[in-house]
Amino acid sequence: GESVGLHLPTLSVQEGDNSIINCAYSNSASDYFIWYKQESGKGPQFIIDIRSNMDKRQGQRVTVLLNKTVKHLSLQIAATQPGDSAVYFCAENTGSGNTGKLIFGQGTTLQVKP
Amino acid sequence: DGGITQSPKYLFRKEGQNVTLSCEQNLNHDAMYWYRQDPGQGLRLIYYSQIVNDFQKGDIAEGYSVSREKKESFPLTVTSAQKNPTAFYLCASSIMRGNQPQHFGDGTRLSIL
């Protein structure tokens, strides 16, 4: 069945270090992937997205890598700051028609130590 | 500012009571979605709507109902048939053309009295 999962529930990093958050997906038909950041008591906030015809996309301090061979997605955050502390979710659009439906992973909590 | 507004932020339900959660967007998005989030969990889709006067069940629609009478509004009713309604409810919207991200409101936390 379809599933999106994250490898680690919690990631703890030192301020200033780079963070890498991983995500595995199981549906090879998925053609669009999104990373969201969710702070406590708030809704998920869009960070960056990538389409299946790309393997890398960069934003401000963030990079998303897509490896379709092993169905793996990662989010890299450069020079992690205390404000980056949050839960990060990956989501996939399985490409089953243009419904816009997304499947979300369980989330990884990023803790930034000062 | 354009965005998605959910209200109220906190809501309490008595046993046997139906409650309605509001979601309004001024982004001119075609599609709207309702998710449920339980502590330490990801988001699960309750209902979604791609156009006015049409909506589809998501993965956990039982005990919930929706309407889409206006493009801007997609209210969710949690009925008394939903036996475990305590959760964080999130509304989202998106453009339907091509692959586009969903944009979220700040949620409504529903608790049982």
Side-chain angles (χ1 to χ4, degrees):
Chain A
E2 300 171 352
S3 68
V4 177
L6 288 152
H7 292 305
L8 293 173
T10 302
L11 175 66
S12 186
V13 300
Q14 204 70 39
E15 181 179 357
D17 287 352
N18 296 336
S19 303
I20 301 176
I21 302 172
N22 296 304
C23 181
Y25 65 95
S26 59
N27 192 327
S28 56
S30 295
D31 59 1
Y32 179 58
F33 304 86
I34 309 171
W35 281 101
Y36 286 95
K37 172 186 180 184
Q38 186 178 27
E39 296 174 321
S40 181
K42 294 191 174 182
Q45 178 185 2
F46 170 80
I47 301 173
I48 192 167
D49 58 3
I50 188 168
R51 288 169 172 74
S52 58
N53 60 352
M54 304 171 69
D55 53 21
K56 180 179 180 179
R57 190 165 187 222
Q58 288 184 288
Q60 187 176 11
R61 280 202 308 119
V62 294
T63 301
V64 55
L65 299 177
L66 176 62
N67 185 330
K68 294 181 286 293
T69 303
V70 295
K71 297 199 219 83
H72 183 267
L73 189 70
S74 68
L75 177 70
Q76 300 178 0
I77 304 174
T80 312
Q81 302 168 0
D84 294 326
S85 295
V87 178
Y88 289 81
F89 291 97
C90 62
E92 63 176 315
N93 180 321
T94 60
S96 54
N98 192 23
T99 64
K101 287 175 62 179
L102 298 175
I103 297 175
F104 287 81
Q106 297 301 303
T108 292
T109 300
L110 177 64
Q111 298 175 339
V112 182
K113 296 178 288 186
Chain B
D1 281 355
I4 300 175
T5 301
Q6 290 188 241
S7 62
K9 191 166 179 64
Y10 299 97
L11 187 59
F12 297 91
R13 195 191 88 169
K14 295 179 182 178
E15 195 142 344
Q17 186 182 44
N18 293 351
V19 291
T20 298
L21 285 60
S22 171
C23 178
E24 303 278 331
Q25 55 100 359
N26 60 3
L27 299 167
N28 199 33
H29 285 171
D30 301 302
M32 298 186 74
Y33 311 82
W34 273 106
Y35 293 90
R36 170 181 172 137
Q37 186 176 32
D38 292 287
Q41 301 289 317
L43 281 65
R44 292 185 290 168
L45 184 64
I46 305 173
Y47 268 99
Y48 66 103
S49 168
Q50 296 174 283
I51 58 172
V52 173
N53 293 322
D54 189 41
F55 47 83
Q56 287 77 40
K57 293 182 178 179
D59 301 317
I60 55 165
E62 186 174 349
Y64 300 97
S65 66
V66 293
S67 62
R68 187 89 187 274
E69 297 177 3
K70 298 187 298 182
K71 187 176 185 179
E72 305 79 25
S73 179
F74 191 40
L76 173 74
T77 296
V78 183
T79 75
S80 57
Q82 172 50 245
K83 298 306 179 188
N84 184 24
T86 298
F88 191 46
Y89 291 87
L90 288 157
C91 179
S93 70
S94 71
I95 298 170
M96 277 305 301
R97 292 183 300 280
N99 284 318
Q100 297 290 336
Q102 293 178 16
H103 299 271
F104 286 83
D106 274 340
T108 292
R109 190 167 299 280
L110 176 62
S111 303
I112 295 296
L113 281 177

